[in-house]
PDB file of all heavy atoms in Angstrom:
ATOM      1  N   GLN A 827     -51.170  49.420  -5.243  1.00 91.00           N
ATOM      2  CA  GLN A 827     -51.823  48.521  -6.182  1.00 91.00           C
ATOM      3  C   GLN A 827     -53.338  48.647  -6.050  1.00 91.00           C
ATOM      4  O   GLN A 827     -53.851  49.170  -5.048  1.00 91.00           O
ATOM      5  CB  GLN A 827     -51.395  47.072  -5.918  1.00 91.00           C
ATOM      6  CG  GLN A 827     -49.906  46.871  -5.831  1.00 91.00           C
ATOM      7  CD  GLN A 827     -49.159  47.420  -7.029  1.00 91.00           C
ATOM      8  OE1 GLN A 827     -49.560  47.200  -8.173  1.00 91.00           O
ATOM      9  NE2 GLN A 827     -48.061  48.147  -6.778  1.00 91.00           N
ATOM     10  N   PRO A 828     -54.101  48.196  -7.058  1.00 91.00           N
ATOM     11  CA  PRO A 828     -55.561  48.210  -6.932  1.00 91.00           C
ATOM     12  C   PRO A 828     -55.993  47.437  -5.684  1.00 91.00           C
ATOM     13  O   PRO A 828     -55.479  46.341  -5.432  1.00 91.00           O
ATOM     14  CB  PRO A 828     -56.021  47.504  -8.212  1.00 91.00           C
ATOM     15  CG  PRO A 828     -54.906  47.741  -9.186  1.00 91.00           C
ATOM     16  CD  PRO A 828     -53.643  47.708  -8.380  1.00 91.00           C
ATOM     17  N   TYR A 829     -56.885  48.010  -4.916  1.00 92.00           N
ATOM     18  CA  TYR A 829     -57.335  47.409  -3.657  1.00 92.00           C
ATOM     19  C   TYR A 829     -56.150  47.129  -2.734  1.00 92.00           C
ATOM     20  O   TYR A 829     -56.126  46.131  -1.997  1.00 92.00           O
ATOM     21  CB  TYR A 829     -58.123  46.124  -3.913  1.00 92.00           C
ATOM     22  CG  TYR A 829     -59.306  46.305  -4.836  1.00 92.00           C
ATOM     23  CD1 TYR A 829     -59.236  45.947  -6.174  1.00 92.00           C
ATOM     24  CD2 TYR A 829     -60.496  46.869  -4.368  1.00 92.00           C
ATOM     25  CE1 TYR A 829     -60.307  46.127  -7.032  1.00 92.00           C
ATOM     26  CE2 TYR A 829     -61.585  47.056  -5.210  1.00 92.00           C
ATOM     27  CZ  TYR A 829     -61.484  46.691  -6.544  1.00 92.00           C
ATOM     28  OH  TYR A 829     -62.558  46.878  -7.386  1.00 92.00           O
ATOM     29  N   GLY A 830     -55.163  48.022  -2.775  1.00 93.00           N
ATOM     30  CA  GLY A 830     -53.923  47.806  -2.049  1.00 93.00           C
ATOM     31  C   GLY A 830     -54.088  47.647  -0.557  1.00 93.00           C
ATOM     32  O   GLY A 830     -53.396  46.837   0.062  1.00 93.00           O
ATOM     33  N   ILE A 831     -54.993  48.399   0.049  1.00 95.00           N
ATOM     34  CA  ILE A 831     -55.169  48.322   1.495  1.00 95.00           C
ATOM     35  C   ILE A 831     -55.656  46.935   1.902  1.00 95.00           C
ATOM     36  O   ILE A 831     -55.252  46.398   2.944  1.00 95.00           O
ATOM     37  CB  ILE A 831     -56.157  49.414   1.983  1.00 95.00           C
ATOM     38  CG1 ILE A 831     -56.079  49.578   3.491  1.00 95.00           C
ATOM     39  CG2 ILE A 831     -57.574  49.124   1.547  1.00 95.00           C
ATOM     40  CD1 ILE A 831     -54.809  50.262   3.944  1.00 95.00           C
ATOM     41  N   TYR A 832     -56.507  46.339   1.058  1.00 96.00           N
ATOM     42  CA  TYR A 832     -57.003  44.992   1.352  1.00 96.00           C
ATOM     43  C   TYR A 832     -55.917  43.948   1.098  1.00 96.00           C
ATOM     44  O   TYR A 832     -55.795  42.963   1.838  1.00 96.00           O
ATOM     45  CB  TYR A 832     -58.238  44.684   0.502  1.00 96.00           C
ATOM     46  CG  TYR A 832     -59.354  45.671   0.698  1.00 96.00           C
ATOM     47  CD1 TYR A 832     -59.651  46.638  -0.258  1.00 96.00           C
ATOM     48  CD2 TYR A 832     -60.113  45.660   1.879  1.00 96.00           C
ATOM     49  CE1 TYR A 832     -60.667  47.562  -0.068  1.00 96.00           C
ATOM     50  CE2 TYR A 832     -61.130  46.582   2.084  1.00 96.00           C
ATOM     51  CZ  TYR A 832     -61.408  47.523   1.109  1.00 96.00           C
ATOM     52  OH  TYR A 832     -62.414  48.436   1.313  1.00 96.00           O
ATOM     53  N   LEU A 833     -55.123  44.182   0.061  1.00 96.00           N
ATOM     54  CA  LEU A 833     -54.021  43.270  -0.245  1.00 96.00           C
ATOM     55  C   LEU A 833     -53.006  43.268   0.889  1.00 96.00           C
ATOM     56  O   LEU A 833     -52.536  42.205   1.321  1.00 96.00           O
ATOM     57  CB  LEU A 833     -53.353  43.690  -1.557  1.00 96.00           C
ATOM     58  CG  LEU A 833     -52.173  42.843  -2.038  1.00 96.00           C
ATOM     59  CD1 LEU A 833     -52.599  41.401  -2.241  1.00 96.00           C
ATOM     60  CD2 LEU A 833     -51.603  43.411  -3.343  1.00 96.00           C
ATOM     61  N   LEU A 834     -52.690  44.464   1.403  1.00 96.00           N
ATOM     62  CA  LEU A 834     -51.758  44.561   2.519  1.00 96.00           C
ATOM     63  C   LEU A 834     -52.326  43.878   3.758  1.00 96.00           C
ATOM     64  O   LEU A 834     -51.588  43.209   4.498  1.00 96.00           O
ATOM     65  CB  LEU A 834     -51.447  46.031   2.821  1.00 96.00           C
ATOM     66  CG  LEU A 834     -50.523  46.293   4.019  1.00 96.00           C
ATOM     67  CD1 LEU A 834     -49.183  45.609   3.818  1.00 96.00           C
ATOM     68  CD2 LEU A 834     -50.331  47.793   4.236  1.00 96.00           C
ATOM     69  N   ALA A 835     -53.623  44.028   3.976  1.00 96.00           N
ATOM     70  CA  ALA A 835     -54.256  43.399   5.141  1.00 96.00           C
ATOM     71  C   ALA A 835     -54.156  41.873   5.062  1.00 96.00           C
ATOM     72  O   ALA A 835     -53.848  41.205   6.055  1.00 96.00           O
ATOM     73  CB  ALA A 835     -55.716  43.822   5.242  1.00 96.00           C
ATOM     74  N   ILE A 836     -54.390  41.326   3.879  1.00 96.00           N
ATOM     75  CA  ILE A 836     -54.304  39.865   3.700  1.00 96.00           C
ATOM     76  C   ILE A 836     -52.884  39.381   3.952  1.00 96.00           C
ATOM     77  O   ILE A 836     -52.664  38.384   4.650  1.00 96.00           O
ATOM     78  CB  ILE A 836     -54.768  39.468   2.283  1.00 96.00           C
ATOM     79  CG1 ILE A 836     -56.262  39.742   2.127  1.00 96.00           C
ATOM     80  CG2 ILE A 836     -54.471  37.993   2.014  1.00 96.00           C
ATOM     81  CD1 ILE A 836     -56.766  39.575   0.701  1.00 96.00           C
ATOM     82  N   VAL A 837     -51.910  40.105   3.385  1.00 97.00           N
ATOM     83  CA  VAL A 837     -50.516  39.720   3.578  1.00 97.00           C
ATOM     84  C   VAL A 837     -50.126  39.857   5.047  1.00 97.00           C
ATOM     85  O   VAL A 837     -49.391  39.013   5.590  1.00 97.00           O
ATOM     86  CB  VAL A 837     -49.598  40.587   2.696  1.00 97.00           C
ATOM     87  CG1 VAL A 837     -48.132  40.345   3.042  1.00 97.00           C
ATOM     88  CG2 VAL A 837     -49.840  40.284   1.219  1.00 97.00           C
ATOM     89  N   ALA A 838     -50.609  40.908   5.711  1.00 97.00           N
ATOM     90  CA  ALA A 838     -50.305  41.110   7.128  1.00 97.00           C
ATOM     91  C   ALA A 838     -50.831  39.949   7.970  1.00 97.00           C
ATOM     92  O   ALA A 838     -50.133  39.441   8.855  1.00 97.00           O
ATOM     93  CB  ALA A 838     -50.908  42.431   7.613  1.00 97.00           C
ATOM     94  N   VAL A 839     -52.051  39.523   7.684  1.00 97.00           N
ATOM     95  CA  VAL A 839     -52.616  38.365   8.394  1.00 97.00           C
ATOM     96  C   VAL A 839     -51.769  37.125   8.105  1.00 97.00           C
ATOM     97  O   VAL A 839     -51.524  36.299   8.993  1.00 97.00           O
ATOM     98  CB  VAL A 839     -54.084  38.136   7.979  1.00 97.00           C
ATOM     99  CG1 VAL A 839     -54.608  36.825   8.564  1.00 97.00           C
ATOM    100  CG2 VAL A 839     -54.956  39.300   8.436  1.00 97.00           C
ATOM    101  N   GLY A 840     -51.299  37.016   6.859  1.00 97.00           N
ATOM    102  CA  GLY A 840     -50.438  35.892   6.497  1.00 97.00           C
ATOM    103  C   GLY A 840     -49.139  35.896   7.276  1.00 97.00           C
ATOM    104  O   GLY A 840     -48.658  34.830   7.698  1.00 97.00           O
TER     105      GLY A 840
END
Side-chain angles (χ1 to χ4, degrees):
Q827 309 307 314
Y829 304 100
I831 194 72
Y832 302 105
L833 180 59
L834 177 59
I836 293 171
V837 171
V839 172

